[in-house]
Amino acid sequence: MTSPLITAAELAAALDSPHPPVLLDIRWQLGGPPGAEEYAKGHLPGAHYLDLDQELADPPGAAGRHPLPATERLTAALRRAGVTAGRPVVAYDAGSSLSAARAWWLLRWAGHPDIRVLDGGLAAWLAAGQPLSVETPASGNGDFTVDPGHLPTVDATGAAELARTGLLLDARAGERYRGEIEPVDPRAGHVPGATSAPTTENLSADGRFLPATELAARFTTLGVTDPAHTAVYCGSGVTAAHQLLALELAGHKGAALYPGSWSEWSANPENPVAVG
């Protein structure tokens, strides 16, 4: 199986080949600064910027802060970036792949056959001595059509059921899981029965993913045995995709995403909340 990750050296070679991949810049962080501003200061040559809030999600509402994008919205964004079904795609962000993984998961969910994440992101690219560009490429002539549903998802009811009968992983920081802080969502705490599994613990200090053997050991400790009975949530469905990428690296392919995540769950007063 081809790894969902690509190194900076591998990407440089691929970009210099007769069939280079489409590059997607997915820089984003909660509370800013806007990724477009960082993109304008310098990006991988030829990369197209995609706005996570505006293009990789529908407007916030009852379904959470980052609902899955409508087919038309995602198709338009990917075509503008030059995405086609027959050309590889590589997504990257500033370094930790927390937002690039959202693009990876979405393209897989949408039916794209070849999407990878630059391990270590922009930081790894620069550390490898590779150049940046401030030129914005022309809009691509992509022809990719989103066909949603190629990866599994669960709704709030399904998440609650897995918390009781399977395994529901909470990818947020431990202090948010425990309810000690809640910077953005209506209530603090976690889905009752969920297991705390901060996705940042899947990374080494330089922002690259841990080796597959270490990830596998971590998920074994967390209780992952059957991906078909495992789901992941976070604050709004972004970092949960990063956890799903780590699970796949560890050999656990097929776990589900709860797209609404805590932003949807906590906004419904009928949903119970656990703390501690």
Side-chain angles (χ1 to χ4, degrees):
M1 181 183 71
T2 302
S3 172
L5 298 179
I6 187 170
T7 67
E10 290 169 338
L11 178 57
L15 291 173
D16 198 35
S17 73
H19 303 288
V22 175
L23 288 179
L24 303 179
D25 186 308
I26 319 290
R27 275 179 280 182
W28 171 89
Q29 57 180 311
L30 189 64
E37 296 180 8
E38 298 302 308
Y39 170 85
K41 296 174 184 177
H43 49 265
L44 271 65
H48 292 264
Y49 172 72
L50 290 185
D51 189 306
L52 189 149
D53 291 319
Q54 303 296 324
E55 297 178 300
L56 302 185
D58 267 2
R65 286 185 280 111
H66 290 108
L68 295 183
T71 298
E72 298 79 7
R73 180 187 298 270
L74 184 57
T75 295
L78 296 179
R79 288 185 176 184
R80 176 183 63 76
V83 174
T84 69
R87 187 177 173 190
V89 179
V90 174
Y92 73 92
D93 57 29
S96 62
S97 301
L98 290 174
S99 52
R102 168 77 172 202
W104 168 82
W105 188 92
L106 277 176
L107 266 75
R108 289 275 305 278
W109 170 79
H112 197 282
D114 193 351
I115 166 69
R116 302 170 81 182
V117 169
L118 174 58
D119 195 18
L122 185 71
W125 181 259
L126 292 174
Q130 297 295 337
L132 296 183
S133 172
V134 294
E135 295 183 13
T136 301
S139 293
N141 56 348
D143 60 8
F144 183 71
T145 298
V146 170
D147 179 27
H150 288 261
L151 291 181
T153 61
V154 295
D155 58 10
T157 300
E161 177 66 19
L162 281 174
R164 292 190 298 268
T165 64
L167 183 65
L168 181 64
L169 297 177
D170 186 320
R172 299 173 300 161
E175 56 268 27
R176 289 185 70 189
Y177 169 88
R178 295 187 295 272
E180 296 165 4
I181 62 167
E182 182 43 65
V184 285
D185 292 317
R187 292 184 288 167
H190 59 268
V191 177
T195 296
S196 180
T199 197
T200 52
E201 294 181 12
N202 296 315
L203 299 171
S204 60
D206 62 4
R208 293 178 173 89
F209 280 89
L210 295 172
T213 53
E214 294 183 30
L215 291 172
R218 179 182 188 229
F219 287 121
T220 295
T221 300
L222 289 168
V224 178
T225 57
D226 182 3
H229 291 90
T230 302
V232 185
Y233 77 96
C234 58
S236 65
V238 175
T239 55
H242 187 272
Q243 187 93 283
L244 290 166
L245 176 53
L247 279 162
E248 185 160 318
L249 291 168
H252 298 295
K253 190 174 183 178
L257 172 73
Y258 172 23
S261 284
W262 188 246
S263 60
E264 178 189 48
W265 181 277
S266 62
N268 185 343
E270 295 183 0
N271 288 333
V273 169
V275 296

